[in-house]
Amino acid sequence: MKTISHWIGGKPVEGVSGNYGPVYNPATGAQEKQVAFASAEEVDAAVRAAKEAFKEWGTSSLAKRTSVLFRYRELIDAHRDEIAQLITAEHGKVHSDALGEVARGLEIVELACGIPEKLKGELSTQVSTRVDVAAIRQSLGVVAGITPFNFPAMVPMWMFPLAVACGNTFVLKPSEKVPSAAFKLAELAAEAGLPDGVLNIVNGDKVAVDAILEHPDIAAVSFVGSTPIAKYIHTTGTANGKRVQALGGAKNHMLVLPDADLDLAADSAINAAYGSAGERCMAISVVVAVGDTADPLIGKIKERADKLRIGPGDDPASEMGPLITKVHRDKVASYVTGAAAQGADVVIDGTGYTVEGYEDGHWIGVSLLDNVTPEMDAYRDEIFGPVLSVVRVETYEQAIELMNNSPWGNGTAIFTRDGGAARRFQLEVEAGMVGVNVPIPVPVGYHSFGGWKDSLFGDHHIYGNDGVHFYTRGKVVTTRWPDPSDGGINLGFPSNH
Ligand code: NAD
C-alpha cells in the first residue's frame, strides 16, 4: 500500500512516529493509501527547516521570489490534470470540479506573482523639515496552514503562495483524508526552484495541529475547516501569541423573490446545492422562497434533480460523486430521515442510493426537503452533503430576519430582477460574501474570501489584500538627513515644523 510521507526541507521524509491514517477512495470505499501522522517532534523538524530557510528567503529579492512563482504557475498549469486526478481519487468529486478547484487555487499563485505591486509601501516626504516617513510591510517568519478535506489543492493554495511571496516560510498540515494533492504541490514548488525548507508539509491529525499551535517559532496560523475546530484554533493560537485567521463552517441561504427568473434560480440551486455533493463551504443548503415562489421553484428543482447523474468522479458522465467517508454519508442521511420525523416534506429522498459495480462506495443521492422550519436539525446544523432545504416565508423582511438569525455568515445569494431589492439585501444581510443572481459568490483571487459570525474567527479574510496584510506586519520609518543647521538640545516632545 502506498504511504504518503511528510515533505520537510525540500524532500519526502518518512514518518517516524509509527502512526498512520487510512486514505480511502470514496467511490470504491477501499483504503488505497496510508498517510504518516506526525508527532510533535516531526512538526518541530519541519519548523526548524522553515526557520533555517527563512534566514535567506526572508531577505531574498522580490525578483527572485517572483521568478520562482512564475515558474510555479506554469508547472501547476501543466499538471492540472494530474492534480485533479489525485483530488478525485481521495475526495471523490468529479474530474471537472477538481479541475475547477485547481484553477481557482492557481488564481492565488498568479496574485502572488504580482507581489511587488502589493508590497510597495507608502512614502511621505517632508513631513517635517528634512524628515521623510516610509511605511513598509515585512514578513512574519515561519507561518503555518491547516486545511480541510473538501478542497485538497485550492485551500492550501489560498495560503502558502501568498505567504511565501511575502517572504515567509511555511508549514502546511493538510487534511489527513486527502493528502496527495498538497504533496504534489510541494514537489512542483521544489521543481520551480523554491528553496528547500520554504514550504514544508506535515501530515497528521490533532497531535500535529496542537504541535503547530504550541510551537514558539510559528508566528501565524491560517486555518480553514469546521466551526468548532476553527474556534479552537483561534482561541488556542491567539492564547499562544500567534496571529490567527480561522475560517469555519457555513449554512448558506439563497433568497428567491417572486420576481426572480425561476429557471435561473432552479439551475443555480441545483448547481450550488448538489455540486461537489454539497461538500463546499459555499454550497447553498437553504432556499428561502418568498410569497408564492415555493411551489413552481420546487417543481423546477425536482425536475432537474431527477436527471442528475451520480457516479465515480473519474467517469466523465458523472455530475456528482460520493461523500468523503461512510460515517459522513450516514450522518448526512440521518438529517433527511430526521427532517421527515420533525415534520418536513421529503420531496426527494437520496438516502439508500447506490451505484452498480461500486456498492461499497460512500454514495448518497440528492435530497430535497420542503416546509423546513428553523427549529429542525436539518436547518440548524451544517449538513455538508447534497441536501437542500426549502423554507417558505411571506415577505422579504421575514426572509432577512431568518437569515440574519443564523449563527453563520459565510456566503449568501439573492435571486431577483429588482435592483432596489438586491441593493437593500447587499446592505442588510449579515454575511461576508453576497451574490446577486450568483449562487456561489467566491471572490476572485485579487479580492478576499471570508465570512462573518461563526464562519470566521480573526480579523483578516483570506487571500487578496487581506491575505497580504495577514502575512506581513507594518513598520513605519521616520528619517532625517541632517543639515549642518540641525541639532541643539530640546527636551520637548518631537513636533513637526
Ligand atoms: P475539520 O474542521 O474536521 O478539519 C479541518 C482541519 O482540522 C483538518 O486538517 C483536520 O485534521 C484538523 N482537525 C480536525 N479535528 C481536529 C481537532 N479536534 N483538533 C485539531 N485539529 C483538528 O473540517 P473538514 O471536515 O476537513 O472540512 C469541512 C469543514 O470545513 C466544513 O465545516 C466546511 O464548511 C469547512 N470549510 C470552510 C471553508 C471556508 O472558507 N469557510 C472552506 C472549506 C471548508
Side-chain angles (χ1 to χ4, degrees):
M1 186 179 302
K2 184 171 178 198
T3 298
I4 296 132
S5 59
H6 312 299
W7 179 273
I8 299 174
K11 55 181 188 306
V13 172
E14 298 300 324
V16 293
S17 75
N19 293 328
Y20 296 91
V23 180
Y24 294 96
N25 180 334
T28 61
Q31 183 189 343
E32 293 184 349
K33 302 166 199 160
Q34 63 175 3
V35 59
F37 275 14
S39 62
E41 290 71 33
E42 288 167 295
V43 171
D44 182 55
V47 177
R48 276 188 279 117
K51 195 175 173 187
E52 185 59 30
F54 180 71
K55 289 178 189 163
E56 274 199 27
W57 186 252
T59 54
S60 61
S61 70
L62 287 168
K64 157 131 194 179
R65 286 183 233 159
T66 51
S67 68
V68 173
L69 286 160
F70 273 104
R71 278 198 298 276
Y72 192 39
R73 191 249 163 240
E74 292 304 297
L75 279 169
I76 295 173
D77 183 39
H79 288 81
R80 280 173 198 255
D81 222 55
E82 190 187 336
I83 299 167
Q85 282 168 19
L86 291 170
I87 294 169
T88 296
E90 295 176 1
H91 174 283
K93 65 176 75 173
V94 298
H95 187 67
S96 56
D97 193 28
L99 278 174
E101 81 155 276
V102 177
R104 294 308 300 265
L106 199 49
E107 273 179 17
I108 314 305
V109 180
E110 288 163 356
L111 175 77
C113 288
I115 200 68
E117 182 63 27
K118 299 277 180 206
L119 293 181
K120 275 198 312 208
E122 295 169 337
L123 175 69
S124 301
T125 56
Q126 200 67 355
V127 298
S128 181
T129 307
R130 281 185 296 285
V131 175
D132 301 333
V133 173
I136 60 175
R137 297 203 70 85
Q138 292 188 301
S139 51
L140 304 176
V142 181
V143 301
I146 300 160
T147 54
F149 81 81
N150 65 322
F151 286 108
M154 182 183 78
V155 171
M157 282 197 274
W158 281 359
M159 301 174 181
F160 73 80
L162 208 48
V164 304
C166 290
N168 304 285
T169 55
F170 205 89
V171 176
L172 173 68
K173 206 300 282 175
S175 166
E176 64 278 26
K177 299 187 177 95
V178 292
S180 294
F183 196 87
K184 182 73 202 170
L185 289 171
E187 286 179 330
L188 292 176
E191 201 179 326
L194 194 70
D196 294 349
V198 175
L199 171 62
N200 307 276
I201 294 182
V202 287
N203 283 305
D205 58 0
K206 182 172 167 54
V207 173
V209 171
D210 286 344
I212 287 171
L213 295 176
E214 285 158 16
H215 203 294
D217 290 331
I218 292 178
V221 177
S222 297
F223 172 86
V224 176
S226 60
T227 290
I229 310 300
K231 253 186 204 165
Y232 168 74
I233 301 283
H234 187 256
T235 311
T236 314
T238 52
N240 287 329
K242 301 183 196 317
R243 185 180 288 196
V244 179
Q245 57 177 184
L247 283 70
K251 189 85 187 175
N252 306 309
H253 292 59
M254 169 172 153
L255 172 57
V256 184
L257 295 186
D259 69 344
D261 175 337
L262 289 191
D263 284 306
L264 176 68
D267 286 348
S268 301
I270 288 276
N271 298 340
Y274 304 137
S276 200
E279 290 174 327
R280 289 181 184 141
C281 65
M282 290 291 274
I284 291 293
S285 55
V286 182
V287 162
V288 185
V290 176
D292 55 8
T293 45
D295 287 334
L297 183 62
I298 287 169
K300 286 174 188 292
I301 294 174
K302 179 167 170 21
E303 189 189 315
R304 287 158 171 79
D306 288 340
K307 293 185 196 143
L308 286 177
R309 294 185 305 264
I310 302 165
D314 57 7
D315 179 348
S318 303
E319 293 168 295
M320 189 185 109
L323 289 178
I324 185 72
T325 59
K326 278 200 174 71
V327 171
H328 186 53
R329 188 263 319 270
D330 295 345
K331 185 171 166 216
V332 171
S334 75
Y335 280 106
V336 179
T337 44
Q342 290 176 348
D345 296 323
V346 181
V347 182
I348 306 174
D349 183 351
T351 61
Y353 186 92
T354 190
V355 175
E356 209 184 315
Y358 293 83
E359 284 77 8
D360 289 332
H362 313 155
W363 302 107
I364 193 163
V366 304
S367 295
L368 181 59
L369 308 175
D370 188 14
N371 286 310
V372 172
T373 60
E375 299 74 36
M376 295 177 187
D377 293 331
Y379 180 83
R380 294 161 68 96
D381 296 351
E382 181 185 39
I383 300 176
F384 222 54
V387 180
L388 179 61
S389 297
V390 178
V391 178
R392 295 172 179 240
V393 295
E394 289 305 317
T395 62
Y396 167 88
E397 285 73 18
Q398 286 172 356
I400 200 89
E401 190 185 342
L402 172 86
M403 294 165 85
N404 286 348
N405 277 338
S406 168
W408 287 287
N410 211 39
T412 186
I414 184 169
F415 279 72
T416 180
R417 290 187 174 96
D418 180 341
R423 184 173 183 278
R424 186 175 165 194
F425 179 75
Q426 286 167 48
L427 298 180
E428 291 179 352
V429 74
E430 293 175 10
M433 294 166 285
V434 181
V436 176
N437 299 312
V438 172
I440 309 183
V442 174
V444 287
Y446 35 95
H447 287 268
S448 299
F449 180 112
W452 286 14
K453 302 196 277 188
D454 282 0
S455 294
L456 189 147
F457 303 91
D459 300 323
H460 293 87
H461 288 196
I462 206 162
Y463 65 76
N465 286 343
D466 264 26
V468 175
H469 266 249
F470 183 76
Y471 293 126
T472 55
R473 52 186 167 171
K475 185 180 273 180
V476 180
V477 184
T478 303
T479 306
R480 168 191 286 144
W481 291 106
D483 185 82
S485 65
D486 290 335
I489 304 299
N490 179 356
L491 299 190
F493 194 72
S495 59
N496 299 326
H497 53 85

